[in-house]
Structures are given as structure tokens and as C-alpha cells.
């Protein structure tokens, strides 16, 4: 997943100049530790006493002096190491505006839209979902076909070389060839990720999870990211790394959905205007949920599993209408992939390729289970939970090491090449040392290596290492009993466990689903063989069945998915019989794993210091009130404000506000300036760009009126304030915010408890929550980072430090 790049960033760039995300330079206002520190974003310096309203108890503090003091306290960082503390929250991540601004323009447009227009909009939603499904399925087909051909070519070349040098001697050349091929392919895949688009690293699931939670991750749904993701995952799998191509399909589907739903591409400089109604964060979020589900559906041939994955792991906001559209997108995705691959494999009318990986049908009569096996399944769940927790803990410390020391792109590429070479070397040595020879007779092994086995036999260890991980998983599920020596399975499990752990987090596009399933299938099959020995070959101790349970236990122990993974496994195996055992195994693995450490995705989100909001506030936080958690001071604007003041506020790099409460234009300073609305930075920039000013002399409005279309045209890459020229005469004009502000922003009294504030903020997908006193006067603002910095630790409620990492 996580490309841990410079400045501990998924985007991997210093001062990311993301046009889509000018908020990179305009963080939400949050003081360090409730105003006790320098207020990296919340404590903004006051420009002039008369220029604009500054409300809050910290408005008389010279924060520049505090910042200078902090800078003198911080030691100079050694360039080869980035100090990183997991108890940090990054100020550089921004929020998405999931709450619609119900200003006059919005209400006028809604009134003009009749019933027929609403029906048209709804039809467009279904059309977009169909297009998402079709394109996601086609991308999955492309990945599958290219991987199959390139990996097949590589394995044929290496196999021919090994067969040749087994007779002559000099197998060291074969090892060198295998390692060089792997390292070369992975080098290309790592270079394009590290130097072109670092956010394409990993599976992309944590990034999409953050996006759907309301966090803006730079570049995460760009067309360039999709291209690098697809090319990167092909090269990673062909390069022989312990990775799978299924995980990145979720990110790919999300990018496709984000692009299609907007009806334009800034990269290709095309704007079709057809879907411009959906150019806002709320609509885009729903389509990204559909894209993530379509990606799962294409990967595993599991439409229902895709919907449940989006519900369980992805979307933070849900409704019933969304369920139907997402299911439709998933269904279309699976059908598209199935149709194209069936034609490609030469059986056009036989739709037998529903996903990138098909586990094969477990419909053998011997594969049933009895009540005596229930405790065995529970025990396997416990083992899976413990091994998953160990995997996550090792990967946690490895990721911390990468953050601190391997943060330069060139080092990241070298590490990826090293892992590729080591993976090939380990595989070769294990195959060379193995004496587990099995008869070929009708075997399904794609590239059987004979090595030192007798004629008509092949090396069993090679079926696991000398193959793509997807095919190895299917072999472990379906090969007949006796196909593997217990020692072979034990050694493979041990080595592949550490290889997969080392691989996850490299600067390559790759997923963890298939490696986890492969590790679990190996130790599960070993468990089944052991059980068969103990029960003297009892008919219910079939190793393939236990390989399936082990795979579910291992994957559940690592990623902690339950509901969606149960359905994915059932759909991918085409057998409902194992529904209950899989549920049992996954629930046990999750409970056991959660006792030790978090799931892998949540852990990496936390390591990246993302202000991710979970479903509920910390259980011990009722004693905290909005007054204690809010950001102060707050920069407020008058309803009719001077243009120069607005420009100064937006240009002030120390304030970095994104939402501004609008108060009454009250000339009498003795009266309370009550809250009248809320306006966003992006809206103010559009107003300045179009020069929607009021002449100062007679306060007459200019002729041109803005429409919502003007705001949608600027979305999502609003121009920075530095690119807008305002003359000295225009600075003296006035700007009337009444028509553009949201006149009914959500507010809470300052006595509201943290859980109450959290529930309101989280459930409604807010970006700004205004805190008022009993006179409706603004006293503070609650943003995502104010809430995310409180979490339940091992010693009770913790407050994270905020840093501009």
C-alpha cells in the first residue's frame, strides 16, 4: 500500500503543487493541542485591526512569536532520516465538502428543475454506473491478459534455461537469469510509481477508504494515477513479487468512477458537459463507492461481495438507492469481464471467467463437513488471527523504518529491486533443495520443473514458487491429496510469510489479498494433511477444504474483513455449503487479531497520520466539550465585505482557513455580530475570479449574475488566490456574500459534548461545524482534525499532536 515517501506522504512530493487540490496550501484551522502550541493552521495572525473580524479567545496572542520559539526548540533534522511518531496527526490533509451549500443559487436551480429533469438526472446516474462497470471490467481484462502473456513468457524462458543447465551443470546461471528478469521488470514498475505518481503505490484500498471517509488525498483519483496503477501492477506480478493483481482493481475502479461521473478530463483537456450536474464532492463520493465495488466484483467475480466490501470497508455514508446503483455497477463489471475473457479464451458462449481469479468449484461430495469439525475451524480462525496480527506487527515496524530511512525515490526503487531478486533467489534455492517429486500424470501444473526428479515427475515446490500467486492458490485448493509433502508446505509457508510481509509497502502497485490467501492456503493444507495422519485418513480430512479455511483465516487475520470476505469467498468458490464455516473462521480471526493489533489498512492509515474519523467518538470522551476541542480564533467575514479584505484573508498563508462564518454587517461594534451563514474559500475564489463586486459609490450590483454552473466549471481544481489579479480600485469595492453563502450552516453550542459533536459531524459528512454561544455569536469552529486527534489508547483517552508532516 503505502508508498512512504518524503514528508511521510502518500502523494510523495514536497509542497505538492496539485491543481486539483489547492487546499494543499490552505489547511483547515487547528491549533496545536487546544491552543497551547503555535497553532500551525488555526492561530492566524491579524492583518489589521479593522480589516476583518477575528473571533475567539486567542486573538490577542502573537502567534508568529510562538512559531519562532518552536523553530528554535526543534533540533535540525539529519537529512538521511525523517523522525516520525505514530502519535501525530498531519495538518496537510484536507477534507472534502460532502455537505451541499444550500445558498440562493442552489435553491433557485432546484426550483427550476421539474419532475422530468429530475428523472433525467436519475437516469444519468444509472448510465454512469453502467459505464463504470463496463470500463472497470475492460481494465481488469487488460491486466489479466497482459499478465498472463508476460508472466508465461518469463516462466517459459526460465524453465527452458533450468532444464538445459540441469543436464549440463551450471544452474547458477539459471538463478542469475531468474533474479535479473525479476529485478529488471520490478525496477520499471517501481520507477514509474516512485518518480511519476507515488500515490499509485500499494493496493490503494487505504487511500480510497480515506477518500470515502471525507479526506482529500492528493492525486488519488487522477487519470495519470490509473495509468500508473495498471502498468505498475502488471509489472509487479510479472516481476515475481509476493503480490496480487486483485487489490489494485479497487483503486482502479474508484478512479474510473471519479473520472466518468464528472464527464471531463483535465489531463486530456476534454469537457463533455453531459454530467456537469454531478460536479460536487457529494455526488462524486457516491460514484467512487460504486467504482470500488465494481473493482472487487471484477477481481473476484463477486458482485454481492463487491457491494458488501464497499459498505463494510469503503463507504462512510450510505443509503438504499446507492445500494441498488452500486449492485448494478458490480453486476455490469463482472458480466463485462466474463464476456471478454470468454471470447479471449475461445469459448464465447460459455461465461466461465467471472473474475480475475476463480477459486474453482468445491462441489465434491468428499468436501462436506460435520459438527465435529466446528471446533477445528474455530481453532484455525485463532491461528489465522495470531498469524495475521504477527504479519501486521512486523509490517508496522518495517513501515516505520521505511518512513525514516527509505524516503527517497531512488532508495525505494533499489529496495523494490532487492526484494524482487531475493524473492527469486529464495524460490530457486527452495526448489533446488526440495526433493518432493510428484508424478506428472494429468497434473494441472502450468510450468512443471523436473530439476533432479525422475522422468515423468515434477518438483512439487515449484508449483508454489514457480507460478503466479493466483494459480498457486488454486493449485493448493484443488490438487489431489498427496500432491505436497508436509515439509514442502511448512517451508513454503514460512518463507512466503516473510516475503509477503517485506513486499507489502514497497513503492510498487500491488495488493495483499492473494499473498494472504496463498499463505493461508499453504498452512491450511498442511493442517489438513496433519489431521489426516492423526485420524488415519478419515474421509472428512480433505486437505483442499482446510486450505480454503486457512486462506480465509489468514486473510481475515490481516485485513479484518468479515461480512464482505465471507460472500467473496462463497461467490469465488461457487459453493454456499462453506458459508457457515467461513463466517466462523473469519469472525474468530478478527476477534483474535483485534486483541493484538489493528487491521493492516487501518494501521497504514494511522501511520500516514491521516485524520480519519471512525464510526464513533472515543467512549471515554464525554467529559470534553466543543469549547475544549474547537479551533480558535475564527476568521469571520461581514455579509457585505470589502474586496481588499477578502483578498488579504485568502492570501494570508498563516491563516489557511477554508470556511468562513459570515456575520451581520454591523457598523456598531458594541452590538453582537450574530452568525448569518458560512462561505467556503473555493466560493470566494470564484467570486473574485468573476469580479462579482458591488460598486462602492451607490452599492448597485453589477449586471452579470453567477450561476451554479460557474462554480461547477471551476470544480475540483479551483485556482489559487495568487493567480487572481485584483486592481487597487477593485480592492475598494464591496462584495455581497448574501446570495452565495450557505444561510443555514450546522452549529453546536459550546457546551455540547465531544461524542455529540462527533456524531453530528461524522453522520452528516461535514467539513466545518460552527460553535456558537447563547447569543448566536461565533466562538470557534470544529474541523476534522479537531475530532480526529482524540482517540482511545491503551492508557485511556489520548490527544495526538498536530504537525505539518
Amino acid at each position: 500500500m503505502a508508498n512512504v515517501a518524503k514528508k511521510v506522504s502518500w502523494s510523495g512530493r514536497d509542497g505538492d503543487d496539485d491543481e486539483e487540490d489547492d487546499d494543499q496550501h490552505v489547511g483547515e484551522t487547528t491549533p496545536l493541542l487546544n491552543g497551547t502550541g503555535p497553532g500551525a493552521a488555526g492561530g492566524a495572525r491579524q492583518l489589521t485591526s479593522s480589516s476583518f473580524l477575528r473571533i475567539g479567545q486567542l486573538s490577542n496572542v502573537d502567534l508568529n512569536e510562538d512559531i519562532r520559539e518552536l523553530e528554535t526548540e526543534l533540533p535540525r533534522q539529519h537529512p538521511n532520516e525523517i523522525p516520525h511518531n505514530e502519535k501525530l496527526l498531519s495538518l496537510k490533509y484536507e477534507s472534502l465538502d460532502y455537505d451541499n451549500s444550500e445558498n440562493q443559487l442552489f435553491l433557485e436551480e432546484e426550483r427550476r428543475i421539474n419532475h422530468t429533469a429530475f428523472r433525467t438526472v436519475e437516469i444519468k446516474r444509472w448510465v454512469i454506473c453502467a459505464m463504470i462497470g463496463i470500463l472497470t471490467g475492460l481494465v481488469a481484462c487488460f491486466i489479466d491478459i497482459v499478465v498472463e502473456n508476460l508472466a508465461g513468457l518469463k516462466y517459459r524462458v526460465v524453465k527452458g534455461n533450468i532444464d538445459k543447465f540441469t543436464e549440463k551443470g551450471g544452474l547458477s546461471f539459471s538463478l542469475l537469469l531468474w533474479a535479473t528478469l525479476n529485478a529488471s521488470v520490478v525496477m520499471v514498475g517501481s520507477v514509474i510509481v516512485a518518480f511519476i505518481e507515488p500515490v499509485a503505490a500499494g493496493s490503494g484500498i487505504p487511500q480510497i477508504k480515506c477518500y470515502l471517509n471525507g479526506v482529500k488525498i492528493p492525486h488519488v483519483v487522477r487519470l495519470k494515477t490509473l495509468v500508473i496503477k495498471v502498468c505498475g501492477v502488471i509489472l509487479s506480478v510479472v516481476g515475481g513479487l509476493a503480490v496480487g493483481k486483485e487489490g489494485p482493481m479497487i483503486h482502479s475502479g474508484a478512479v474510473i468512477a471519479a473520472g466518468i461521473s464528472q464527464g471531463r478530463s483535465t489531463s486530456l483537456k476534454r469537457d463533455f458537459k453531459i454530467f456537469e450536474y454531478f460536479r460536487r464532492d457529494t455526488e462524486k463520493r457516491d460514484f467512487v463507492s460504486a467504482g470500488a465495488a465494481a473493482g472487487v466484483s471484477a477481481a473476484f467475480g463477486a458482485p454481492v461481495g463487491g457491494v458488501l466490501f464497499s459498505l463494510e470497508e469503503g463507504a462512510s455514508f450510505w443509503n438504499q438507492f446507492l445500494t441498488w446503483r452500486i449492485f448494478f455497477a458490480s453486476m455490469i463489471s463482472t458480466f463485462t469481464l466474463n464476456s471478454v475473457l470468454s471470447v479471449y479464451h475461445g469459448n464465447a458462449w460459455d461465461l466461465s471467467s467471472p473474475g480475475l481469479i476463480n477459486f474453482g468449484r468445491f462441489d465434491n461430495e468428499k468436501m462436506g463437513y460435520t459438527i465435529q469439525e466446528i471446533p477445528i475451524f474455530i481453532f484455525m480462525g485463532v491461528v489465522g488471527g495470531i498469524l495475521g496480527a504477527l504479519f501486521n506487527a512486523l509490517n508496522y515496524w518495517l513501515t516505520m523504518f521505511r518512513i525514516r530511512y527509505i524516503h527517497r525515490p531512488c532508495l525505494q526503487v533499489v529496495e523494490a529491486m532487492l526484494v524482487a531478486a531475493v524473492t527469486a533467489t529464495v524460490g530457486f534455492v527452495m526448489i533446488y533443495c526440495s526433493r518432493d517429486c510428484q508424478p506428472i500424470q494429468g497434473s494441472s501444473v502450468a510450468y512443471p520443473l523436473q530439476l533432479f526428479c525422475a522422468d515423468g515427475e515434477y518438483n512439487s515446490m515449484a508449483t508454489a514458487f514457480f507460478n503466479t500467486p493466483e494459480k498457486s492458490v488454486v493449485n493448493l485448493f484443488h490438487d489431489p491429496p498427496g500432491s505436497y509433502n508436509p515439509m514442502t508446505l511448512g517451508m513454503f509457508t514460512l518463507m512466503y510469510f516473510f516475503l509477503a510481509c517485506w513486499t507489502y509497502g514497497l513503492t510498487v502497485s500491488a495488493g495483499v489479498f492473494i499473498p494472504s490467501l496463498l499463505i493461508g492456503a499453504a498452512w491450511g493444507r498442511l493442517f489438513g494433511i496433519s489431521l489426516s495422519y492423526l485420524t488415519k485418513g478419515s474421509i472428512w480430512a480433505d486437505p483442499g477444504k482446510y486450505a480454503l479455511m486457512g486462506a480465509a483465516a489468514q486473510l481475515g487475520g490481516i485485513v479484518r474483513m468479515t461480512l464482505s470476505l465471507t460472500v467473496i469467498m462463497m461467490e469465488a468458490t461457487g459453493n454456499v455449503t462453506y458459508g457457515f464455516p467461513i463466517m466462523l473462521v473469519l469472525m474468530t480471526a478478527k476477534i483474535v487479531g483485534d486483541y493484538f493489533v489493528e487491521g493492516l489498512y487501518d494501521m497504514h492509515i494511522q501511520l500516514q497520520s491521516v485524520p480519519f474519523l471512525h464510526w464513533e467518538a472515543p467512549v471515554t470522551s464525554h467529559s470534553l466539550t466543543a469549547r475544549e476541542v474547537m479551533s480558535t480564533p475564527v476568521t469571520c467575514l461581514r455579509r457585505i465585505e470589502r474586496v481588499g479584505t477578502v483578498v488579504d484573508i485568502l492570501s494570508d498563508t498563516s491563516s489557511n482557513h477554508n470556511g468562513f462564518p459570515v456575520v451581520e454587517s454591523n457598523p456598531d461594534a458594541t452590538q453582537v455580530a450574530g452568525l448569518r451563514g458560512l462561505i467556503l474559500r473555493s466560493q470566494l475564489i470564484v467570486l473574485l475570479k468573476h469580479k462579482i463586486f458591488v460598486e462602492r459609490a451607490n452599492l448597485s450590483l453589477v449586471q452579470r449574475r453567477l450561476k451554479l454552473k460557474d462554480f461547477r466549471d471551476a470544480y475540483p481544481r479551483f485556482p489559487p488566490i495568487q493567480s487572481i489579479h485584483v486592481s487597487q480600485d477593485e480592492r475598494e469595492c464591496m462584495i455581497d456574500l448574501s446570495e452565495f453563502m450557505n444561510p443555514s450552516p450546522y452549529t453546536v453550542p459550546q457546551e455540547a459534548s465531544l461524542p455529540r459533536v462527533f456524531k453530528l459531524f461524522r453522520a452528516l459528512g461535514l467539513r466545518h461545524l460552527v460553535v456558537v454561544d447563547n447569543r448566536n455569536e461565533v466562538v470557534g469552529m470544529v474541523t476534522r482534525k479537531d475530532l480526529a486527534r482524540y482517540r482511545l489508547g491503551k492508557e485511556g483517552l489520548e490527544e495526538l499532536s498536530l504537525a505539518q508532516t
Side-chain angles (χ1 to χ4, degrees):
M1 170 214 98
N3 163 45
V4 184
K6 206 167 186 178
K7 285 204 173 184
V8 198
S9 153
W10 269 324
S11 68
R13 290 188 173 92
D14 292 299
D16 196 337
D17 58 345
D18 189 0
E19 312 127 326
E20 180 176 9
D21 187 6
D22 68 88
D23 285 348
Q24 281 291 90
H25 312 291
V26 286
E28 286 166 355
T29 65
T30 317
L32 276 176
L33 301 180
N34 292 330
T36 58
R45 62 184 172 85
Q46 200 160 342
L47 294 175
T48 63
S49 59
S50 62
S51 61
F52 51 88
L53 296 180
R54 181 74 75 182
I55 297 176
Q57 61 262 42
L58 293 183
S59 56
N60 60 346
V61 178
D62 182 2
L63 291 162
N64 288 330
E65 186 176 331
D66 286 345
I67 293 169
R68 284 194 296 272
E69 288 175 7
L70 181 74
E71 287 173 348
T72 58
E73 291 171 11
L74 289 173
R76 290 186 63 83
Q77 295 182 8
H78 194 278
N80 294 325
E81 177 184 356
I82 294 183
H84 182 66
N85 183 351
E86 63 274 20
K87 293 188 178 179
L88 283 179
L89 204 62
S90 176
L91 285 169
K92 75 181 183 62
Y93 290 110
E94 292 307 321
S95 297
L96 293 157
D97 292 303
Y98 283 166
D99 181 37
N100 287 326
S101 178
E102 295 186 347
N103 54 22
Q104 288 183 30
L105 297 181
F106 177 82
L107 296 176
E108 285 173 12
E109 183 185 75
E110 292 295 304
R111 286 193 208 100
R112 285 197 304 270
I113 296 179
N114 56 26
H115 179 70
T116 306
F118 271 120
R119 290 290 298 272
T120 305
V121 167
E122 190 60 27
I123 290 169
K124 284 182 178 179
R125 285 196 177 99
W126 286 92
V127 170
I128 290 171
C129 286
M131 292 173 69
I132 290 168
I134 291 168
L135 286 175
T136 304
L138 291 176
V139 167
C141 290
F142 176 76
I143 291 173
D144 189 58
I145 292 169
V146 175
V147 165
E148 183 181 331
N149 285 285
L150 290 182
L153 177 64
K154 185 191 83 169
Y155 287 124
R156 283 193 297 273
V157 168
V158 175
K159 180 182 183 307
N161 193 273
I162 290 176
D163 290 344
K164 173 183 169 185
F165 282 102
T166 303
E167 299 172 9
K168 293 183 174 181
L171 276 170
S172 54
F173 182 77
S174 301
L175 167 60
L176 190 63
L177 174 68
W178 190 1
T180 304
L181 282 174
N182 274 16
S184 303
V185 173
V186 169
M187 180 188 74
V188 178
S190 184
V191 164
I192 62 174
V193 171
F195 288 95
I196 300 177
E197 197 52 271
V199 80
S203 66
I205 295 174
Q207 291 96 316
I208 296 303
K209 196 172 175 179
C210 290
Y211 183 90
L212 294 174
N213 189 257
V215 182
K216 185 181 286 185
I217 306 294
H219 298 188
V220 75
V221 288
R222 291 272 195 92
L223 177 62
K224 186 168 73 170
T225 304
L226 174 64
V227 173
I228 300 300
K229 193 87 185 181
V230 170
C231 297
V233 73
I234 289 171
L235 294 167
S236 300
V237 176
V238 172
L241 291 175
V243 299
K245 57 182 184 278
E246 283 68 22
M249 278 308 305
I250 295 158
H251 190 177
S252 301
V255 180
I256 290 167
I260 292 293
S261 64
Q262 303 306 290
R264 71 175 173 192
S265 168
T266 48
S267 303
L268 301 177
K269 295 182 172 54
R270 292 281 184 274
D271 189 348
F272 301 103
K273 302 288 185 187
I274 185 171
F275 300 136
E276 62 181 353
Y277 179 81
F278 305 116
R279 289 175 189 172
R280 56 180 186 263
D281 286 341
T282 319
E283 296 284 356
K284 197 172 178 181
R285 172 197 70 203
D286 291 347
F287 290 120
V288 168
S289 298
V296 174
S297 182
F300 296 99
V304 180
V307 176
L308 293 175
F309 174 86
S310 203
L311 173 62
E312 182 181 13
E313 279 294 305
S316 294
F317 308 95
W318 201 265
N319 62 56
Q320 192 171 12
F321 294 108
L322 187 61
T323 309
W324 300 334
R325 290 198 297 271
I326 288 179
F327 181 66
F328 179 64
S330 297
M331 181 184 72
I332 295 293
S333 175
T334 296
F335 179 75
T336 302
L337 178 87
N338 209 336
S339 303
V340 175
L341 286 186
S342 296
V343 171
Y344 173 74
H345 291 305
N347 45 355
W349 303 108
D350 179 21
L351 299 178
S352 55
S353 304
L356 292 184
I357 181 169
N358 185 0
F359 293 149
R361 296 187 65 83
F362 286 80
D363 52 3
N364 194 319
E365 291 179 7
K366 294 182 179 180
M367 299 291 280
Y369 66 95
T370 61
I371 195 165
Q372 299 99 307
E373 292 177 90
I374 299 297
I376 297 173
F377 295 146
I378 293 174
F379 175 74
M380 291 184 78
V382 172
V383 173
I386 293 171
L387 288 178
L390 177 62
F391 184 99
N392 292 0
L394 290 173
N395 193 261
Y396 175 89
W397 294 113
L398 182 60
T399 305
M400 288 287 287
F401 178 83
R402 284 179 173 137
I403 289 173
R404 287 174 177 159
Y405 299 103
I406 312 178
H407 47 79
R408 291 176 180 159
C410 52
L411 292 177
Q412 293 166 345
V413 172
V414 169
E415 188 199 14
M417 291 173 65
L418 175 65
V419 174
V422 169
T423 303
T425 305
V426 167
F428 184 88
V429 171
M430 296 278 285
I431 294 168
Y432 183 84
C433 297
S434 173
R435 293 293 178 266
D436 184 7
C437 297
Q438 302 292 339
I440 290 182
Q441 45 174 342
S443 172
S444 60
V445 181
Y447 309 105
L449 281 181
Q450 183 178 355
L451 218 59
F452 301 116
C453 294
D455 290 342
E457 292 186 336
Y458 69 95
N459 189 302
S460 186
M461 181 70 84
T463 59
F465 268 115
F466 197 69
N467 220 333
T468 57
E470 289 85 357
K471 290 196 171 96
S472 299
V473 170
V474 176
N475 288 338
L476 286 168
F477 283 166
H478 294 290
D479 281 352
S483 298
Y484 298 91
N485 189 298
M487 181 63 73
T488 299
L489 291 172
M491 291 301 296
F492 174 78
T493 302
L494 183 67
M495 298 309 298
Y496 206 80
F497 182 91
F498 290 108
L499 285 174
C501 187
W502 189 13
T503 305
Y504 189 76
L506 289 177
T507 313
V508 294
S509 298
V512 76
F513 267 81
I514 298 302
S516 304
L517 290 172
L518 183 52
I519 295 165
W523 68 254
R525 191 175 181 97
L526 176 62
F527 186 85
I529 292 171
S530 306
L531 207 59
S532 181
Y533 285 154
L534 291 174
T535 57
K536 304 288 189 262
S538 175
I539 196 168
W540 48 263
D542 188 278
K545 172 174 56 179
Y546 290 101
L548 177 66
M549 295 304 156
Q554 185 67 50
L555 183 54
I558 290 173
V559 300
R560 310 291 158 75
M561 290 158 50
T562 51
L563 182 65
S564 55
L565 192 52
T566 300
V567 177
I568 287 170
M569 297 292 281
M570 285 166 58
E571 287 184 281
T573 55
N575 196 320
V576 185
T577 311
Y578 289 141
F580 177 68
I582 291 172
M583 289 181 209
L584 206 59
V585 163
L586 289 173
M587 285 298 294
T588 309
K590 177 175 170 53
I591 292 167
V592 173
D594 284 343
Y595 179 79
F596 296 104
V597 292
E598 288 182 296
L600 191 64
Y601 300 142
D602 291 328
M603 191 182 75
H604 276 267
I605 288 171
Q606 181 183 316
L607 277 170
Q608 293 293 336
S609 306
V610 179
F612 186 89
L613 296 182
H614 294 279
W615 290 105
E616 299 286 344
V619 290
T620 59
S621 60
H622 281 83
S623 58
L624 290 171
T625 62
R627 186 194 299 110
E628 294 171 273
V629 303
M630 68 187 184
S631 298
T632 55
V634 181
T635 301
C636 293
L637 296 172
R638 298 179 180 88
R639 194 171 54 81
I640 298 177
E641 188 61 270
R642 196 171 68 89
V643 172
T645 302
V646 175
V647 172
D648 289 341
I649 291 172
L650 298 182
S651 304
D652 181 19
T653 55
S654 64
S655 66
N656 297 343
H657 296 258
N658 283 299
F660 303 91
V662 179
V663 297
E664 191 53 66
S665 306
N666 198 337
D668 186 358
T670 61
Q671 294 186 20
V672 175
L675 177 67
R676 292 293 176 265
L678 182 77
I679 194 160
L680 301 175
R681 170 181 287 267
S682 57
Q683 293 173 312
L684 290 171
I685 283 176
V686 173
L687 295 183
L688 292 175
K689 180 183 176 184
H690 291 278
K691 303 193 182 300
I692 307 299
F693 306 150
V694 180
E695 297 296 341
R696 195 177 185 196
N698 53 13
L699 296 183
S700 63
L701 285 170
V702 291
Q703 291 302 310
R704 187 178 187 284
R705 286 201 64 209
L706 278 187
K707 295 181 180 179
L708 272 184
K709 179 182 181 302
D710 296 302
F711 292 91
R712 288 171 182 155
D713 284 344
Y715 175 85
R717 304 185 193 180
F718 297 100
I721 185 63
Q722 292 80 6
S723 68
I724 297 173
H725 176 70
V726 179
S727 67
Q728 195 59 42
D729 289 340
E730 288 172 333
R731 287 179 63 89
E732 298 306 315
C733 291
M734 305 301 285
I735 185 167
D736 189 347
L737 305 177
S738 306
E739 191 179 5
F740 311 103
M741 69 182 186
N742 182 1
S744 54
Y746 291 101
T747 61
V748 288
Q750 55 187 344
E751 291 79 21
S753 68
L754 175 59
R756 197 169 187 80
V757 173
F758 190 99
K759 190 175 292 184
L760 181 65
F761 195 97
R762 177 70 171 74
L764 297 174
L766 302 182
R767 185 176 187 180
H768 303 98
L769 183 58
V770 185
V771 182
V772 296
D773 60 13
N774 52 10
R775 297 180 299 173
N776 199 37
E777 183 179 356
V778 180
V779 294
M781 182 94 82
V782 175
T783 62
R784 168 176 293 274
K785 298 176 185 81
D786 298 318
L787 299 175
R789 70 178 181 219
Y790 294 98
R791 76 174 185 203
L792 195 62
K794 293 182 179 178
E795 299 175 2
L797 192 65
E798 294 179 338
E799 186 176 1
L800 305 183
S801 301
L802 300 177
Q804 199 74 40
T805 56

